[in-house]
């Protein structure tokens, strides 16, 4: 059985404009330790899928299973990264990274946590920045800190909602490499929601394409390239063909029969 | 570099003093040239002479008013902060209490003071209560706003890491609301002085409010202006003090300023 199963997911909410059907007949299966991406047009509900899998929202109907258990409250051993780093400005970088543990019942010794935080900082190229404040760092550096914070609890699942959307293309590519290294060394299951198809194809083993609202999965492709992948791969013919194929499915409303 | 900052600062202070000086000269000229009778607008030179001559008699009432205002401010701040937290924490409280709060604050204090005097006594008690009422509202509103403007994604993050509502509130919401609180505190300080003075006009026999009223009724304009200047100075000093406290405690909120 797959690690993450989304079955017949239907999600709607009520607003003053009436009922909004966001997701309909959505089905997905994700294997353990797999890095997958979800792409689709703006506003189709990608973030909603992520929040449903995370247990932050409840499905209207349908089931979500993680490791065989039904998800009906926020997942444990899961982390999220958003487009905005959302670091606390009154805390230094190190204290921001160990924040997740302050909400948990069982907390390892602080010295141990600081050690782990330093390791993560080193892995993301921010070795000497532990004692700075978040606003002393650039956007890309802050997002790297956000990644460190996500990984301090050694999550089994990492959910990312357009994490590199606010960054310039060069910083974005840098962070793709950082993310891939972290993934290969920590082996979590990752779901990346993104607008950027190149990003999706470069980082993930499988790409899911969502239709416009009410959204369902209309296309699914397994990316054939082996890990670790280097940035120049992005310019190869096979990569571009793959990217084009996926791109051609965006905006469509029916699953191929 | 430091010298540049210092020069910048000094030039700003000089500019402010310069403007005051200019206004003072205009005042003097207007009073003397247009031969405005002293009971209406005495020349500033006469006011200053009077002030320097009589400040020992004038100061005690200024301190009385300040004392009442500070007491009211202290109580109003604590009360306002706790209420602000409660309203921010619980939607239920917010929906039920907030309209009541606005209604209460909308009543002109001048109308409330005679009632408060009737229920309590003359002098300090109504002044402190009025100062409390005028100072606590900005604190409540700002604190509540500070808590409610928390980024929903940050809340999502806290929840995914297993935060209880309480932990999220204490570790993230409260620090986040502190810049808002301190901004309100500055306003509240001035409000408390206004409230205390107002109460003294209606229900006291000491304090600047009372003295100002008496002076105006008796056309003792020099005394009147002197009190106005003194209480104005006190107000400015209080505001500066609260600004310094603000910059010191939530220094991290001013991070954007560093970049300019």
């Amino acid at each position: 059985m797959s690690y993450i199963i989304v079955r017949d997911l239907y999600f709607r909410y009520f607003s003053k404009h009436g009922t909004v059907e966001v997701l309909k007949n959505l089905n997905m299966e994700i294997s353990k330790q797999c890095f997958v991406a979800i792409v689709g047009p703006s506003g189709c509900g990608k973030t909603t899928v992520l929040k449903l899998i995370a247990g932050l929202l409840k499905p209207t109907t349908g089931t979500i299973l993680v490791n065989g258990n039904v998800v009906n409250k926020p997942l444990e051993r899961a982390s999220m990264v958003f487009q905005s780093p959302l670091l606390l400005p009154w805390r230094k970088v190190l204290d921001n990274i160990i924040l997740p543990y302050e909400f948990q019942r069982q907390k390892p010794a602080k010295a141990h946590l600081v050690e782990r935080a330093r390791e993560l900082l080193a892995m993301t190229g921010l070795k000497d920045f532990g004692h700075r404040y978040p606003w002393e760092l650039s956007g890309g550096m802050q997002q790297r800190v956000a990644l460190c914070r996500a990984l301090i609890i050694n999550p089994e699942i990492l959910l990312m909602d357009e994490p590199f959307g606010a960054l310039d293309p060069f910083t974005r590519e840098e962070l793709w490499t950082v993310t891939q290294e972290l993934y290969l060394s920590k082996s979590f299951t990752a779901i990346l929601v993104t607008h950027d198809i190149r990003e999706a194809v470069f980082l993930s083993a499988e790409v899911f394409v969502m239709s416009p609202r009410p959204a369902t999965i209309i296309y699914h492709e397994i990316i054939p390239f082996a890990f670790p992948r280097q940035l120049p791969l992005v310019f190869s013919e096979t990569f571009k063909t793959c990217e084009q194929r996926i791109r051609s499915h965006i905006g469509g409303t029916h699953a191929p029969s | 570099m430091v010298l540049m900052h210092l020069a910048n600062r000094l030039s700003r202070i000089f500019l402010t003093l310069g403007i005051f000086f200019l206004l003072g000269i205009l005042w003097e000229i207007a009073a003397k040239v247009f031969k405005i009778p002293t009971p209406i607008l005495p020349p500033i030179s006469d006011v200053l002479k009077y002030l320097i001559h009589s400040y020992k008699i004038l100061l005690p009432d200024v301190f009385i008013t300040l004392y009442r205002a500070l007491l009211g401010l202290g109580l109003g701040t604590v009360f306002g902060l706790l209420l602000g937290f409660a309203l921010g924490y619980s939607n239920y409280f917010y929906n039920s209490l907030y309209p009541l709060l606005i209604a209460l604050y909308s009543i002109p204090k001048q109308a409330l003071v005679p009632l408060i005097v009737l229920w309590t006594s003359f002098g300090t008690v109504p002044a402190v209560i009025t100062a409390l009422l005028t100072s606590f509202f900005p604190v409540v509103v700002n604190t509540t706003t500070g808590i409610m403007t928390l980024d929903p994604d940050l809340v999502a993050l806290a929840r995914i890491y297993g935060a209880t509502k309480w932990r999220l509130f204490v570790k993230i919401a409260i620090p986040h609301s502190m810049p808002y609180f301190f901004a309100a505190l500055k306003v509240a300080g001035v409000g408390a002085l206004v409230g205390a003075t107002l109460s003294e006009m209606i229900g006291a026999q000491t304090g600047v409010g009372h003295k100002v009223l008496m002076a105006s009724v008796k056309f003792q304009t020099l005394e009147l202006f002197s009190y106005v200047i003194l209480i104005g100075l006190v107000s400015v000093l209080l505001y500066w003090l609260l600004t310094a406290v603000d910059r010191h405690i939530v220094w991290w909120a001013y991070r954007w300023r560093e970049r300019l």
Side-chain angles (χ1 to χ4, degrees), chain A residues 80 86 102 104 135 149, chain B residues 151 157 161 171 255 259:
Chain A
M80 289 188 83
L86 295 173
E102 300 191 20
Q104 313 230 319
W135 29 274
R149 176 180 63 187
Chain B
D151 195 318
L157 272 178
Y161 294 131
K171 289 204 177 262
R255 55 199 183 272
R259 293 239 180 123

Side-chain angles (χ1 to χ4, degrees), chain A residues 109-121:
Chain A
K110 179 139 189 217
H112 177 61
L113 286 178
V114 170
E115 197 45 56
R116 280 200 357 222
R118 290 224 175 94
E119 268 172 38
L120 286 164
L121 278 174

Side-chain angles (χ1 to χ4, degrees), chain B residues 76-88 139-140 143 169:
Chain B
T77 303
V78 171
F79 182 46
L81 198 60
L82 292 175
L83 194 60
F85 286 155
L87 292 179
V139 172
V140 175
T143 307
F169 191 74

Side-chain angles (χ1 to χ4, degrees), chain A:
Chain A
M1 187 165 81
S2 295
Y3 186 56
I4 300 180
I5 303 180
V6 177
R7 203 182 287 148
D8 298 326
L9 186 59
Y10 174 63
F11 186 80
R12 64 154 189 252
Y13 66 89
F14 303 105
S15 75
K16 55 183 189 244
H17 306 288
T19 308
V20 181
E21 289 187 328
V22 186
L23 309 168
K24 200 167 178 176
N25 298 329
L26 197 101
N27 289 281
M28 270 172 75
E29 284 191 26
I30 301 169
S31 317
K32 192 156 180 169
Q33 295 180 349
C34 194
F35 197 121
V36 311
I38 302 178
V39 299
S42 274
C44 67
K46 309 191 286 293
T47 305
T48 312
V49 171
L50 218 57
K51 288 195 168 160
L52 282 161
I53 294 178
L56 294 170
L57 292 171
K58 285 207 168 71
T60 310
T61 60
T63 338
I64 300 178
L65 295 161
V66 170
N67 203 17
N69 304 313
V70 176
V71 174
N72 50 20
K73 59 177 173 57
L75 287 177
E76 290 173 20
R77 307 297 309 278
S79 284
M80 289 188 83
V81 181
F82 290 95
Q83 184 162 344
S84 164
L86 295 173
L87 301 172
L88 304 179
W90 57 86
R91 287 182 170 222
K92 295 191 178 157
V93 162
L94 269 176
D95 295 313
N96 262 288
I97 297 178
I98 62 180
L99 177 75
Y101 272 111
E102 300 191 20
F103 297 128
Q104 313 230 319
R105 253 160 271 134
Q106 290 199 318
K107 199 177 145 178
K110 179 139 189 217
H112 177 61
L113 286 178
V114 170
E115 197 45 56
R116 280 200 357 222
R118 290 224 175 94
E119 268 172 38
L120 286 164
L121 278 174
M123 278 186 79
T124 49
L126 294 175
K127 197 162 77 92
D128 298 311
F129 288 88
H131 293 287
R132 299 282 189 94
Y133 283 91
W135 29 274
E136 295 182 81
L137 293 108
S138 71
M141 290 157 84
Q142 288 186 29
Q143 198 59 301
R144 281 188 256 183
V145 175
L147 274 171
C148 293
R149 176 180 63 187
L151 296 175
I152 191 79
I153 60 167
N154 280 330
E156 291 187 350
I157 304 176
L158 180 64
L159 303 164
M160 295 179 274
D161 189 359
E162 316 227 22
F164 314 124
L167 305 169
D168 65 272
F170 297 111
T171 316
R172 217 179 294 158
E173 286 173 12
E174 253 182 72
L175 290 198
W176 291 350
T177 320
V178 170
T179 308
Q180 194 182 175
E181 274 169 29
L182 290 168
Y183 165 63
L184 292 173
S185 89
K186 307 269 174 190
S187 313
F188 39 78
T189 309
I191 307 180
L192 169 73
V193 159
T194 180
H195 269 128
D196 187 342
I197 303 183
R198 276 158 101 224
E199 181 172 291
V201 175
F202 181 73
L203 286 172
S204 38
E206 290 178 44
V207 174
F208 294 88
V209 178
M210 274 172 73
S211 69
R213 268 195 271 128
T216 183
I217 303 290
I218 46 172
Y219 184 64
H220 169 233
E221 177 161 329
I222 298 183
I223 311 296
F225 310 111
F227 287 108
R229 301 172 185 169
Q230 313 297 339
L231 277 171
L233 173 68
V234 171
F235 300 111
S236 74
E237 279 312 308
T238 24
F239 190 99
K240 285 199 240 184
T241 326
C242 186
E243 193 192 320
Q244 279 300 82
R245 208 165 36 239
I246 294 176
R247 197 185 297 270
S248 68
H249 282 95
I250 298 201
T253 44
H254 303 291
S257 46

Side-chain angles (χ1 to χ4, degrees), chain B residues 13 17 24 37 39 61 71-72 85 87 120 139 144 182 199 205 218 222-223 226-227 232 246 249 252:
Chain B
I13 294 176
L17 287 177
D61 285 281
L71 199 54
F85 286 155
L87 292 179
T120 56
V139 172
T144 310
F182 281 102
S199 169
Q205 284 166 325
K218 294 184 213 166
L222 289 177
E223 193 181 321
S226 298
Y227 272 121
D246 174 24
I249 298 189
W252 49 266

